Amino acid sequence: MEPLFLFALLVLFPVFTPTSGFAAKGSVSDLEIYSFHVDCKVTSRFAHSVITSRIANRASVSRAVVFDVELPKNAFISNFSMTIDGKSYVGLVKKKEEAKQLYDQAVSQGHSAGLVKVSGRKMEEFSVSVNIAALSKVTFELTYEELLKRHLGKYELVIKVRPQQLVKELKIDVHIYEPQGISFLDASGTFLTKELAETVKKTLTEDKAHVVFKPTLEQQRKCPDCSESILDGEFIIKYGVKRAASAGDIQIVNGYFVHYFAPADMPRMQKNVVFVIDRSGSMHGKKMQQTREALLKILRDIHEDDHFGIITFDSDIVTWKSTLVKATPDMLQRAKTFIENIKDQGNTDINAAVLKGVELLKVSKEEKKLPEQSVSLIILLTDGDPTSGVTKLEQIQSNIKSGLYTLYCLGFGFDVSYNFLEKLALQNGGVARRIYESSDSALQLQGFYEEVATPLLQQVELHYPDTAVSDLTERVFRHYYNGSEIVVAGRISKDNLEVLSVQIKAASSSSDLNLAATAPVEEQDEALNKQKYIFGEYIERLWAYLTIQQLLSKAISAFLNRKALQLSLNYNFVTPLTSMVVTKPEEGETDRTMVAHKPTEMEVEEEAEYYDFSGPMDFPVLLSSSDSE
């Protein structure tokens, strides 16, 4: 295998690092990032971010420059351009198949076709490489959009800052507008000294927030007389939204609406949870140790009114108790003893293990050991594909499909078929999550459990007038958990509609819940359009973004893929169905074509053998050729 080299101006959401992988390229000082701006506008949770990097080649010969940015996994790139010698080259979004043809053509001509991506834990990488002439400059501008998810009551922006050089004009500028009102705002950084913290300027009014971080060259220095930068870590902005109306908040702009539903002060529902834990031979060592550690801590957090069960499996299934038991101090202590003695061995029988979990729930319900108004969950943790019992993935999906419980699938490492786990979870109302093998794997497991630890509602349905709206995103949800948020968007199809109404039905801890809300269309439209710094069609783009995300998660038919593809092209989004093509004339050569695509989890698994995710970082470390082998 040929050695792998990296010569880049590296941005990790954003990190900007000039490094030299080729001695012939000259000193790092030849390439200077003299300006780097991150401008982010968050409007009703929808974030529109623009990264602008200006780089000068101070050398007397041409230099290769790579603009390399890591973006949130859930983000869609919507624009990219580079300006060289006053001329702009703009990326075009095309069908993935068309882009691949251009990519293959570039490779066949001996060009570096660039922009081949891998994912870290939370990030995806965008990269473009260009040659710039001696004593000239290049400007890169990248735009991406995403809907921020409410997590444990907070919205969070994490900006990784790692320049490894001093930047004359460095600025992070974040505007937040929330019509419901902003309840709190916090800005921090893992690298912030007392002096640097004073450079973070925060402004908070009733419904707007503004955060600016603009350190001078002297403030960026690691020490008074050195040229190293102290900026190495995460810049974090957290905020909350006020919640007055129990039926949520409806916002309308330009014929599109979005409805945010996150009721406050709801009593928790009792839950019944079965932990189905892989103890096959591949879990040997650190994986098993961290799983035990996480389960012991999770047991400490189980509410005394909840019921739980534990199943461990390899080629054999071991059930701790024949039915679910209440989380009394005595039972929790017995469970801890059982967990401490889990031994890894054998193969992997996922089918039988999950079906045993279903049986536990069914028997416990039939024997009336579970509360009537309660939520039933199965949490599966496995690190490999099925190798025992039923091994055909489609057959397992068919066997396990049920509406009696919600299944969450946690895939440990890269030896699992993530697509299989994702389909398994989605068809049973849950989600899949990859657990990365690193020093904090136990914390990742605990963090996931914390998200689903407090259910407040189940069987949530949001109803809008059929004659007034169309093109709705998902409006039926199995559960609503404390600290999360339900988001529904759609198009107003009725002309001259004066009032948009919604009715919400759900089951709570004690009874059925019925809520209603209305929003005057014209007043909403005018109020939101008054905001000067937001882009006026943001709700339409939010609707398109959310629709594409949901269609891709259900991509079980060609029709759904076609619909998601058309929306991706219409709104210029780089999604798993599209790619961005950048063409730049090269001196003395044919035009150079570069292609950026959004990787799927399957592509991540295929490339995992070339990358090391074992560290505590949120991005991959490129291995040398000897390490890869």
Side-chain angles (χ1 to χ4, degrees):
M1 181 175 177
E2 292 296 321
L4 297 169
F5 295 99
L6 179 65
F7 180 73
L9 295 165
L10 181 61
V11 183
L12 298 171
F13 191 37
V15 178
F16 24 105
T17 308
T19 62
S20 178
F22 301 102
K25 292 296 182 182
S27 68
V28 170
S29 59
D30 289 344
L31 295 172
E32 178 193 2
I33 306 169
Y34 63 91
S35 174
F36 196 97
H37 287 185
V38 180
D39 294 295
C40 181
K41 294 177 173 60
V42 182
T43 307
S44 298
R45 294 71 143 173
F46 195 60
H48 178 274
S49 300
V50 181
I51 297 175
T52 305
S53 181
R54 294 181 171 88
I55 302 159
N57 177 15
R58 308 297 187 192
S60 57
V61 294
S62 64
R63 289 282 183 256
V65 174
V66 177
F67 176 66
D68 199 350
V69 185
E70 291 209 12
L71 313 173
K73 275 190 174 182
N74 289 327
F76 290 159
I77 292 170
S78 56
N79 189 51
F80 172 73
S81 67
M82 50 188 178
T83 302
I84 304 171
D85 295 330
K87 185 172 181 179
S88 291
Y89 306 91
V90 180
L92 300 175
V93 175
K94 296 179 177 289
K95 294 180 182 179
K96 202 162 190 174
E97 293 79 5
E98 294 178 8
K100 188 177 186 305
Q101 291 178 2
L102 294 170
Y103 176 88
D104 292 342
Q105 182 180 353
V107 171
S108 68
Q109 294 172 346
H111 293 164
S112 172
L115 305 185
V116 179
K117 304 301 102 215
V118 305
S119 297
R121 288 191 195 173
K122 302 174 184 176
M123 303 293 185
E124 290 177 348
E125 186 183 5
F126 172 91
S127 176
V128 59
S129 173
V130 295
N131 285 310
I132 57 173
L135 305 176
S136 62
K137 299 176 180 179
V138 58
T139 297
F140 298 103
E141 184 174 289
L142 180 72
T143 303
Y144 60 92
E145 300 170 43
E146 65 168 329
L147 179 63
L148 301 180
K149 289 186 177 181
R150 188 170 183 246
H151 176 69
L152 300 178
K154 302 171 184 176
Y155 303 96
E156 184 176 279
L157 289 169
V158 180
I159 303 174
K160 293 192 179 220
V161 183
R162 189 172 174 247
Q164 293 190 4
Q165 73 165 230
L166 305 177
V167 182
K168 289 180 182 177
E169 296 180 18
L170 189 155
K171 185 178 181 181
I172 297 173
D173 194 3
V174 179
H175 285 271
I176 302 169
Y177 171 57
E178 294 289 349
Q180 290 173 257
I182 299 173
S183 59
F184 72 89
L185 173 71
D186 181 56
S188 61
T190 57
F191 55 84
L192 289 181
T193 62
K194 183 178 179 181
E195 181 184 8
L196 270 181
E198 293 175 355
T199 70
V200 179
K201 304 301 180 185
K202 297 185 294 182
T203 306
L204 177 62
T205 61
E206 178 66 20
D207 56 5
K208 292 181 183 178
H210 185 204
V211 179
V212 178
F213 178 54
K214 190 180 178 181
T216 64
L217 278 173
E218 291 306 311
Q219 290 166 335
Q220 294 174 46
R221 293 185 190 277
K222 199 167 188 177
C223 56
D225 299 321
C226 61
S227 59
E228 295 179 36
S229 175
I230 196 173
L231 307 184
D232 187 354
E234 296 181 344
F235 186 74
I236 304 164
I237 297 173
K238 297 179 182 179
Y239 75 93
V241 171
K242 294 178 181 178
R243 301 176 189 281
S246 58
D249 181 64
I250 300 175
Q251 299 171 24
I252 303 168
V253 172
N254 298 341
Y256 287 82
F257 78 91
V258 60
H259 180 197
Y260 297 103
F261 178 61
D265 304 320
M266 299 289 297
R268 67 178 295 278
M269 296 188 74
Q270 293 171 275
K271 70 175 181 295
N272 320 303
V273 56
V274 181
F275 299 98
V276 180
I277 307 301
D278 187 344
R279 61 180 176 91
S280 60
S282 58
M283 289 286 289
H284 177 72
K286 193 173 183 181
K287 287 183 186 177
M288 199 70 257
Q289 176 188 339
Q290 291 176 324
T291 299
R292 282 192 293 262
E293 177 187 334
L295 286 171
L296 291 172
K297 291 180 179 178
I298 286 170
L299 287 180
R300 291 207 302 261
D301 296 332
I302 289 183
H303 197 276
E304 61 184 3
D305 288 336
D306 290 341
H307 290 72
F308 73 102
I310 304 170
I311 294 170
T312 62
F313 72 96
D314 45 48
S315 51
D316 296 318
I317 313 301
V318 176
T319 306
W320 172 56
K321 297 290 181 183
S322 58
T323 62
L324 271 68
V325 298
K326 197 169 184 179
T328 63
D330 178 56
M331 282 300 179
L332 288 173
Q333 186 56 49
R334 294 187 189 188
K336 289 174 183 176
T337 302
F338 176 79
I339 288 168
E340 287 168 350
N341 289 286
I342 296 175
K343 305 296 182 185
D344 46 85
Q345 60 186 11
N347 295 317
T348 308
D349 192 343
I350 292 175
N351 181 75
V354 177
L355 288 179
K356 177 58 74 171
V358 175
E359 182 185 334
L360 270 185
L361 285 169
K362 187 177 179 181
V363 170
S364 300
K365 197 172 187 67
E366 288 173 350
E367 294 181 1
K368 300 190 181 301
K369 293 187 176 182
L370 306 180
E372 282 296 323
Q373 293 285 77
S374 59
V375 173
S376 294
L377 314 175
I378 295 177
I379 298 178
L380 166 68
L381 171 66
T382 182
D383 76 332
D385 290 342
T387 57
S388 179
V390 179
T391 58
K392 189 175 181 182
L393 303 186
E394 294 80 6
Q395 185 62 50
I396 297 173
Q397 290 165 9
S398 176
N399 292 346
I400 291 174
K401 189 171 184 179
S402 170
L404 300 176
Y405 62 92
T406 299
L407 174 63
Y408 293 99
C409 297
L410 306 180
F412 210 137
F414 286 91
D415 292 329
V416 297
S417 173
Y418 189 85
N419 280 359
F420 160 66
L421 293 182
E422 191 170 43
K423 289 178 181 177
L424 203 60
L426 286 171
Q427 73 178 13
N428 290 287
V431 296
R433 185 76 55 83
R434 193 188 296 281
I435 303 298
Y436 289 84
E437 294 182 55
S438 67
S439 58
D440 68 344
S441 295
L443 291 176
Q444 294 175 56
L445 289 167
Q446 289 173 250
F448 170 80
Y449 179 77
E450 192 175 22
E451 292 178 38
V452 300
T454 312
L456 302 181
L457 298 171
Q458 65 178 339
Q459 301 307 322
V460 184
E461 299 180 9
L462 296 92
H463 298 276
Y464 307 87
D466 292 337
T467 58
V469 301
S470 62
D471 301 313
L472 287 173
T473 58
E474 289 182 19
R475 60 173 189 83
V476 178
F477 304 85
R478 284 205 186 184
H479 302 119
Y480 166 70
Y481 295 101
N482 186 41
S484 65
E485 184 171 60
I486 287 174
V487 184
V488 179
R491 187 168 62 88
I492 297 175
S493 55
K494 183 178 180 180
D495 294 336
N496 302 316
L497 182 69
E498 295 182 357
V499 175
L500 177 62
S501 62
V502 60
Q503 300 231 336
I504 303 169
K505 296 180 179 180
S508 67
S509 61
S510 57
S511 62
D512 290 338
L513 183 72
N514 288 280
L515 300 170
T518 59
V521 174
E522 189 173 341
E523 290 179 20
Q524 283 273 328
D525 208 327
E526 289 178 0
L528 291 170
N529 269 320
K530 284 180 182 178
Q531 305 307 318
K532 300 297 183 184
Y533 68 81
I534 66 174
F535 48 108
E537 77 283 5
Y538 80 94
I539 288 183
E540 181 180 350
R541 295 188 68 80
L542 185 160
W543 163 81
Y545 170 95
L546 192 58
T547 301
I548 293 168
Q549 290 276 24
Q550 292 177 356
L551 287 172
L552 290 174
S553 72
K554 296 180 183 175
I556 55 175
S557 72
F559 170 75
L560 293 180
N561 270 334
R562 283 197 301 271
K563 188 175 179 182
L565 171 61
Q566 195 56 56
L567 282 172
S568 301
L569 293 171
N570 290 349
Y571 289 90
N572 213 56
F573 284 144
V574 177
T575 73
L577 301 176
T578 58
S579 296
M580 181 167 284
V581 177
V582 185
T583 303
K584 176 190 175 292
E586 292 285 337
E587 185 177 352
E589 300 179 10
T590 57
D591 289 357
R592 183 178 173 203
T593 300
M594 295 165 284
V595 178
H597 74 276
K598 186 176 182 67
T600 64
E601 283 290 342
M602 184 177 294
E603 290 168 318
V604 174
E605 288 169 354
E606 289 171 352
E607 296 202 31
E609 62 181 290
Y610 300 108
Y611 287 82
D612 174 21
F613 292 89
S614 61
M617 304 159 292
D618 283 340
F619 53 91
V621 178
L622 197 59
L623 297 173
S624 69
S625 58
S626 59
D627 289 332
S628 299
E629 295 169 347

